[in-house]
Amino acid sequence: MEDHPLEVGEDATTFFQPRAMVFVTMLWVIALGALVCTLLVLLGAYALGGVRPTAAGLVTVLEALLIGPVIAAAVIVLVAWNRFGWLKSSMQGLEFGATGRRGVHVPWPAVASVGLRRWGPFTELVITPTAMNAVTELPGRGRRPRVLRRDSGPAFVVDVGLMSPGPDVLLAELHRRIPTRV
């Protein structure tokens, strides 16, 4: 994330995704998925009469369920280490970057509307600009910004469910900056 130097008297609020929170969330999502898949495979094997569960087999499955998700979550966090989502609200406008994407700068007059969709760790902020030519894509590594095509025009999407401070604080900050468009 590239910060602009703060002007005299400028107030800015930065939101970011803490790595530990991403790790723990990835861990429980992967563990839940692995548990469901393992149970389906075991029930399918038992129903087809091919395998009878033994104590040693169940211990092996339990070990895999305890170790596998930890390794998978750690690999995901290491791959995305410096590329987590971020958002900065300042006097200059709104700057944001979704996970693994290049940043975007939208000046406040160019923000048509903002809103949240989904819930919990999967919450996303949808930012609709008044015109795409008012938006500046920031230089840096990553894929192009995530754009949602809608009838009302293109909108940018940022994953904010795991950001610190949370989405409710983010919405309050945006309401403070642009009260009629939140």
Side-chain angles (χ1 to χ4, degrees), residues 8-144:
V8 175
E10 179 181 21
D11 64 320
T13 306
T14 303
F15 298 83
F16 64 96
Q17 292 177 329
R19 291 178 180 101
M21 189 179 296
V22 172
F23 174 78
V24 169
T25 303
M26 294 303 298
L27 179 63
W28 70 260
V29 169
I30 293 168
L32 185 61
L35 177 64
V36 169
C37 290
T38 302
L39 288 176
L40 289 174
V41 168
L42 288 175
L43 288 173
Y46 181 74
L48 295 174
V51 178
R52 296 278 182 205
T54 63
L58 291 177
V59 167
T60 303
V61 168
L62 184 61
E63 287 173 349
L65 285 173
L66 291 174
I67 296 171
V70 172
I71 292 171
V75 167
I76 290 170
V77 169
L78 287 174
V79 166
W81 190 257
N82 286 323
R83 300 177 62 195
F84 290 120
W86 57 274
L87 187 136
K88 178 182 172 188
S89 167
S90 70
M91 291 172 52
Q92 299 171 355
L94 191 60
E95 288 184 8
F96 54 89
T99 302
R101 310 282 180 149
R102 285 193 296 272
V104 174
H105 173 78
V106 183
W108 291 119
V111 176
S113 67
V114 293
L116 296 176
R117 69 179 192 169
R118 300 202 174 101
W119 57 273
F122 307 107
T123 304
E124 295 176 330
L125 180 68
V126 179
I127 303 147
T128 307
T130 55
M132 289 302 281
N133 60 1
V135 174
T136 306
E137 190 173 313
L138 301 175
R141 293 179 33 211
R143 298 179 311 217
R144 293 188 52 89

Side-chain angles (χ1 to χ4, degrees), residues 123-176:
T123 304
E124 295 176 330
L125 180 68
V126 179
I127 303 147
T128 307
T130 55
M132 289 302 281
N133 60 1
V135 174
T136 306
E137 190 173 313
L138 301 175
R141 293 179 33 211
R143 298 179 311 217
R144 293 188 52 89
R146 188 170 158 208
V147 177
L148 179 66
R149 307 286 178 206
R150 304 184 315 177
D151 292 338
S152 60
F156 294 97
V157 180
V158 183
D159 40 334
V160 297
L162 297 177
M163 284 198 179
S164 178
D168 52 339
V169 176
L170 171 60
L171 214 53
E173 168 66 12
L174 294 174
H175 186 70
R176 180 176 77 92

